[in-house]
Amino acid sequence: ASDRLGKFEQFQKLGERFEFLKEKDKELKSFTISQDGTVAKISLECQGAEVMISNSAIIEKVVEVCQKELDVLLDKTEKEVLEFVI
């Protein structure tokens, strides 16, 4: 019984990860749709150093890479959810 409950907890965490990724996908698509190429900015921060990007061509490429990676993660996580056995 405890093994099944442990697997159930794992499944719940997997479901939470899937829902989190779906929400990020929705947010990224919303960003892409609302972007008009004039006011978008992307900020990168690491250990106090920050870079601000406002060039629309660069932003488009960065968003494209993010979307591709997010699609891969979503597909992988969805497959894990569908194949999970409790």
Side-chain angles (χ1 to χ4, degrees):
S2 63
D3 184 47
R4 288 177 59 94
L5 289 173
K7 287 186 176 186
F8 178 70
E9 288 176 14
Q10 290 174 347
F11 184 71
Q12 284 180 310
K13 294 213 181 285
L14 188 58
E16 289 170 6
R17 181 173 63 183
F18 180 75
E19 291 301 321
F20 174 80
L21 291 171
K22 287 295 284 181
E23 183 60 30
K24 293 302 165 188
D25 183 57
K26 180 180 170 184
E27 290 173 10
L28 188 57
K29 285 179 178 162
S30 178
F31 174 82
T32 302
I33 290 169
S34 65
Q35 178 178 259
D36 65 2
T38 60
V39 295
K41 292 181 183 173
I42 292 181
S43 175
L44 304 173
E45 185 179 335
C46 181
Q47 298 179 348
E50 184 176 9
V51 175
M52 184 71 70
I53 300 169
S54 58
N55 181 294
S56 61
I58 294 173
I59 291 173
E60 184 178 329
K61 289 179 182 183
V62 169
V63 169
E64 185 178 306
V65 168
C66 290
Q67 187 64 61
K68 285 180 183 178
E69 288 300 314
L70 187 55
D71 288 344
V72 168
L73 288 171
L74 267 170
D75 288 345
K76 179 183 175 205
T77 305
E78 182 176 28
K79 184 178 178 183
E80 289 175 7
V81 167
L82 294 172
E83 294 176 353
F84 194 90
V85 177
I86 296 178

